[in-house]
Amino acid sequence: MLAFLNIDWQTLADAVALGSIYALMAVGIGLVFGVLRLVNFAYGQLVMAGAFALAMASEWGWPVWASIALCFAVVLVLSLLMDRLVFRPLRGHSPAVMLVATFAVAFLMQSVALLWFGPLGKIATSLAYLNRPWTISTVDIRKITIVSVVVAVLCLLLLHLLLERTEIGLHMRASSMDFETARMLGVRANRVIAVAVLLSGALAAVVAVMLTVQNPLVTPDFALRDTIVVLAGVVVGGMNRPVPATLGGFSIGFASGLLGGALPTNQSQYLDSFIFAAVIIVLLVRPNGLFTTAKTVERV
Amino acid sequence: MKRFADLQVLAGPAVLVVVAALLGTTVSVSTQGYFTDALVKVAIVVALYVFVGNSGVLSFGHISFVAVGAWTAGVLSVPASEKPAIMPNLAHFLRDRTTGNLSSLALAALVGGVCALIVALPLMRLSGLAAGIATFAVLEITHNLLRYEEKIGPGLNTFSSVPETTGLRQAALGALFVVVVAFAYSRSRFGRLLRATREDDAAARAVGASVYRQRLIAFTISGALCGLAGGLYVHLLPLNTETVYLDLTFITLAMLVVGGATSLWGAVVGALAVSAIDSGLAVAENGTSFLGWHIDLPAGTRVIVVGALMATVLILRPSGLTGGREVKLWPR
C-alpha cells in the first residue's frame, strides 16, 4: 500500500512510536502551560537528566527496576526544584520573560551536564534488550516500538481518567481555563501547580526511559532537538487544551518519522527543513492551532 | 531642549560603545579579542532590539540573518585561490567573485535584509506563541540549509581563510553604525507607530497604524542590521553553522532581556554587561591572577554562572537592568 512512497512496515511502526513519545512530551509541556501559562523550554533537559540517571545506574550495574526508580526520582526532584526556584518567582510575569528564563535554565542544566559528564556522554545499556526485533508474520518490529506505543496509550488513558474523574483533575481543568476565577472559587493554586509540575515530570521520566532505549548514547544535548520539534508540534496542534496539544505532538513525531524513512538518502539531510516549513505553513493557515475550534489569543 | 533630550538617547549608548573600544586599546592583544567580540555582540543585540524591543514580539529567528550575513560576507571575501580547498562544491558565480572588506559587509546587510523581508511577508501576520515558534522554524530551516547546502558555503566545515579584518576599530564602527540606525529608526514615524502597537494594539489600530506593515518594516531593517553584524562576525573569527545557532540565539536574547528589551540603552548595557561577565569568567577558566588572588576555574563554569545570573536577573528584575528605559544623563 505504502510501497510507492518507499515506506515499509518498520518505518511506519517507528513513526507511530516516535509520535507516541512526542505526544507524551507534548502533554508534559501542555500540562504546565495550562496552569502557569509558561512554555517550559527546559523540559528536554529534564528528560536529559533522567537519561543520565539511567546511564549512571547501568554503569553501576543496578537492576532495571532500580535504575528506572532512580530516573523517576531525579526527574521529579528536579521538576519540583524548577518549580520552586524558577517558576514560582516568575508567576505573573510576561510570557516573554518566562520563556527566556526557561531558556536560561535549559542552558544552565545542559552546561552542568557538560561539566559533570563531559561532551562524549554515557551509554545506558540496562534496557538494551528492548531494541531486538519481534517477528510478527514476516515483519520485524523492534520491541521498543511496541512498548512505546503501549506505554504512551496507558499514560494518556491514566491522565485522562485523572483529569476527568478526580477532584484535583477538575481543579486543574478549571485552572487552565481561567486561573484567577478558579482561585476565587477555592482552588488552591500551589497544590494544582505542584500536581501539574509533578505529572509533567513523571511524563518526562517515562520519555527518558523510552528515548534511552531508542538512542542509548546520552549526551548533554540529549532530547534538545526533540524538545524543539515537540514545542513546534504543540503550538501547531493548539497549546491551550491537552487533546489538541497531544495530537500536535503525535502528528509532528509521526510526520518526521515517516518522512525520515520516505525521503531518498540524498534528501534526508533536509528533513528538518521540510518539517519546519510544514510547521510555518500550518501556522499561517491555522494560527490558533490545527486541532482547535475555539478562538483564543495569547500574547508573547 | 526636546532635541537635546533626544540626543541623550543616542549619546548614552554611543559613548558606552566608544568607552568599551577605548578600554580595549589599553589591554594586551589576546584580551583585546574579548572586547572586539563584545562589540560585535552589541551590534547583534541592537539589531535584535530594533524588532523585538519596538514591537514587543519575541523572535528566535534573527540569528538566521546573522548566519546569512556571515555566509554572504565569508563566501565573497575568501581569496579566490583558496576557495576550491575550503568550498569545493561552490556555485560558479560565487567561485569566481571576490570582494573587499567593505563591500562584503554591505552585501551581507543587503542579503540579510532581503531574506528578512521574504520571511516577514508571510510571518508578520502571526502573533503570540505562533509567531515565536514560526521564527524558531526559520532558524531551524536556515541552519539546516546552510549546514548541508555546499553550493553556497562551506557546509559542515569551518569558514577558514576569511580575512580577519574585524579588529577593535571595525567592530566599534560597526556597532556605532547599528546604534545610530536603531536610534534613527526608533525616533522615526515608523518606530513610534510600532511602539504604539506594542503598548496598545487596539488604540494603535484606531489611529490608523497597520500592525502588519510596521512589523514588516522593523523586521526588514533589523534583518539587514543582523546581516551586517554577521558580516562583522565572520571577519572576526572562523565560524561554522553551530556558532550561529542556538547558543548565539540564547545569549543574544538573554543580553537583550537582561539589559531591558524596550530600550536602546538596555540593549547596549545588556550586551556589554553580559559580555564582560562572560569574558571575565573565560579568562578565569584559563587561570589568572586578580588583585593578588590566583583564580583557576574548571572549564564550563562560565556558562553555568552566566546562565544562573541571567535567570536571577530575570526573576528579580524582569524589566531588565535598565528597567527598559532610555538613558537620562541630565534629568530635568
Side-chain angles (χ1 to χ4, degrees), chain A residues 39 85 89 93 97 99 101 103-104 107-108 111 115 224 228 232 235 239 269-270 273 276-277 280 283-284 287 298-300, chain B residues 56 60 122-123 126 128-130 133 136-137 140-141 144-145 148-149 198 246-247 250 299-300 303-304 308 314-315 318:
Chain A
V39 180
L85 297 179
H93 286 339
V97 170
L99 186 56
F103 231 65
F107 274 79
L108 183 65
S111 37
L115 201 61
L224 176 66
I228 295 172
V235 175
M239 189 101 208
Q269 63 205 27
Y270 295 117
S273 292
F276 283 101
I280 291 180
L283 284 175
L284 288 172
E298 204 66 47
R299 282 195 71 179
V300 172
Chain B
F60 296 100
L123 249 55
L126 298 172
L129 266 181
I133 290 295
F136 217 126
E140 289 291 334
I141 293 174
N144 188 241
L145 290 180
Y148 294 110
E149 196 52 77
R198 178 189 78 196
L246 280 180
D247 288 11
F250 160 66
V303 202
I304 295 177
L314 289 172
I315 289 165

Side-chain angles (χ1 to χ4, degrees), chain B residues 28-278:
Chain B
S28 68
V29 178
S30 59
T31 319
Q32 203 171 48
Y34 292 115
F35 284 86
T36 319
D37 189 76
L39 289 169
V40 174
K41 294 270 165 55
V42 168
I44 300 176
V45 177
V46 171
L48 197 58
Y49 152 79
V50 168
F51 179 72
V52 176
N54 286 310
S55 74
V57 178
L58 211 53
S59 164
F60 296 100
H62 271 71
I63 298 305
S64 311
F65 312 122
V66 174
V68 167
W71 250 238
T72 310
V75 165
L76 287 174
S77 48
V78 170
S81 55
E82 313 237 358
K83 276 187 185 174
I86 310 163
M87 300 172 278
N89 300 323
L90 204 60
H92 286 278
F93 72 101
L94 289 173
R95 199 178 59 198
D96 306 332
R97 279 180 180 72
T98 306
T99 61
N101 174 43
L102 267 184
S103 52
S104 78
L105 290 178
L107 281 168
L110 180 71
V111 175
V114 170
C115 286
L117 177 64
I118 294 169
V119 166
L121 278 172
L123 249 55
M124 290 301 111
R125 301 192 177 282
L126 298 172
S127 62
L129 266 181
I133 290 295
T135 52
F136 217 126
V138 171
L139 179 69
E140 289 291 334
I141 293 174
T142 314
H143 176 251
N144 188 241
L145 290 180
L146 291 182
R147 199 173 156 82
Y148 294 110
E149 196 52 77
E150 294 185 341
K151 288 196 185 69
I152 52 169
L156 288 162
N157 296 331
T158 297
F159 245 126
S160 45
S161 307
V162 179
E164 294 183 359
T165 52
T166 301
L168 201 55
R169 195 174 55 138
Q170 176 155 305
L173 289 177
L176 272 181
F177 176 78
V178 175
V179 166
V180 169
V181 173
F183 170 76
Y185 169 77
S186 62
R187 295 289 122 185
S188 74
R189 175 187 146 76
F190 305 115
R192 288 172 199 276
L193 279 173
L194 185 61
R195 282 202 300 284
T197 69
R198 178 189 78 196
E199 296 302 328
D200 191 333
D201 198 57
R205 281 178 208 270
V207 297
S210 156
V211 178
Y212 172 72
R213 191 183 308 149
Q214 296 310 329
R215 286 187 183 168
L216 185 75
I217 294 168
F219 200 87
T220 309
I221 295 175
S222 151
L225 294 178
C226 276
L228 172 69
L232 291 171
Y233 209 15
V234 80
H235 283 294
L236 171 66
L237 48 94
L239 302 179
N240 60 21
T241 47
E242 302 312 302
T243 328
V244 282
Y245 186 43
L246 280 180
D247 288 11
L248 190 63
T249 303
F250 160 66
I251 197 100
T252 48
L253 267 179
M255 283 168 170
L256 183 62
V257 177
V258 164
T262 51
S263 69
L264 181 59
W265 177 234
V268 177
V269 168
L272 287 176
V274 176
S275 290
I277 296 166
D278 195 32

Side-chain angles (χ1 to χ4, degrees), chain A:
Chain A
M1 177 185 75
L2 292 160
F4 72 99
L5 274 174
N6 217 352
I7 294 168
D8 52 25
W9 288 106
Q10 175 70 63
T11 312
L12 193 65
D14 281 346
V16 173
L18 192 63
S20 323
I21 295 177
Y22 280 11
L24 289 184
M25 290 179 79
V27 179
I29 293 171
L31 276 173
V32 170
F33 182 81
V35 291
L36 282 173
R37 287 290 174 270
L38 173 139
V39 180
N40 187 7
F41 193 84
Y43 196 69
Q45 277 64 35
L46 288 177
V47 176
M48 179 267 288
F52 268 116
L54 287 170
M56 292 317 288
S58 74
E59 199 176 283
W60 299 325
W62 287 19
V64 173
W65 64 267
S67 55
I68 292 180
L70 179 70
C71 167
F72 269 80
V74 166
V75 178
L76 289 179
V77 167
L78 280 176
S79 305
L80 283 180
L81 274 179
M82 215 188 254
D83 179 44
R84 192 67 196 82
L85 297 179
V86 186
F87 297 171
R88 191 172 294 185
L90 278 175
R91 255 182 236 172
H93 286 339
S94 81
V97 170
M98 293 205 280
L99 186 56
V100 176
T102 63
F103 231 65
V105 174
F107 274 79
L108 183 65
M109 290 174 71
Q110 202 177 318
S111 37
V112 170
L114 195 66
L115 201 61
W116 205 333
F117 302 106
L120 297 178
K122 304 263 175 203
I123 296 176
T125 48
S126 43
L127 281 164
Y129 65 90
L130 284 176
N131 249 335
R132 285 191 219 116
W134 262 329
T135 310
I136 305 169
S137 68
T138 74
V139 182
D140 283 348
I141 289 180
R142 287 186 300 154
K143 286 177 190 166
I144 182 63
T145 314
I146 296 160
V147 172
S148 306
V149 177
V150 172
V151 169
V153 169
L154 271 180
C155 287
L156 292 177
L157 264 180
L158 281 176
L159 194 70
H160 179 77
L161 285 178
L162 182 89
L163 285 177
E164 298 289 328
R165 293 275 191 275
T166 63
E167 198 186 328
I168 186 77
L170 181 70
H171 287 179
M172 286 175 69
R173 281 184 294 139
S175 311
S176 73
M177 268 181 196
D178 188 337
F179 201 85
E180 283 312 307
T181 314
R183 283 188 78 172
M184 279 179 228
L185 294 172
V187 169
R188 282 161 67 192
N190 285 343
R191 193 156 148 252
V192 166
I193 290 172
V195 171
V197 166
L198 278 179
L199 282 176
S200 154
L203 289 171
V206 174
V207 170
V209 173
M210 289 187 301
L211 276 183
T212 41
V213 178
Q214 300 224 339
N215 175 16
L217 178 64
V218 184
T219 51
D221 61 355
F222 191 81
L224 176 66
R225 190 187 165 275
D226 302 282
T227 313
I228 295 172
V229 174
V230 170
L231 271 177
V234 169
V235 175
V236 161
M239 189 101 208
N240 287 318
R241 313 270 306 142
V243 176
T246 317
L247 285 176
F250 178 82
S251 317
I252 204 160
F254 183 70
S256 45
L258 210 58
L259 208 57
L263 285 175
T265 35
N266 64 335
Q267 282 175 21
S268 59
Q269 63 205 27
Y270 295 117
L271 173 67
D272 278 358
S273 292
F274 285 111
I275 292 287
F276 283 101
V279 165
I280 291 180
I281 291 168
V282 175
L283 284 175
L284 288 172
V285 181
R286 295 290 305 265
N288 290 320
L290 197 55
F291 305 110
T292 52
T293 44
K295 274 211 158 184
T296 41
V297 181
E298 204 66 47
R299 282 195 71 179
V300 172

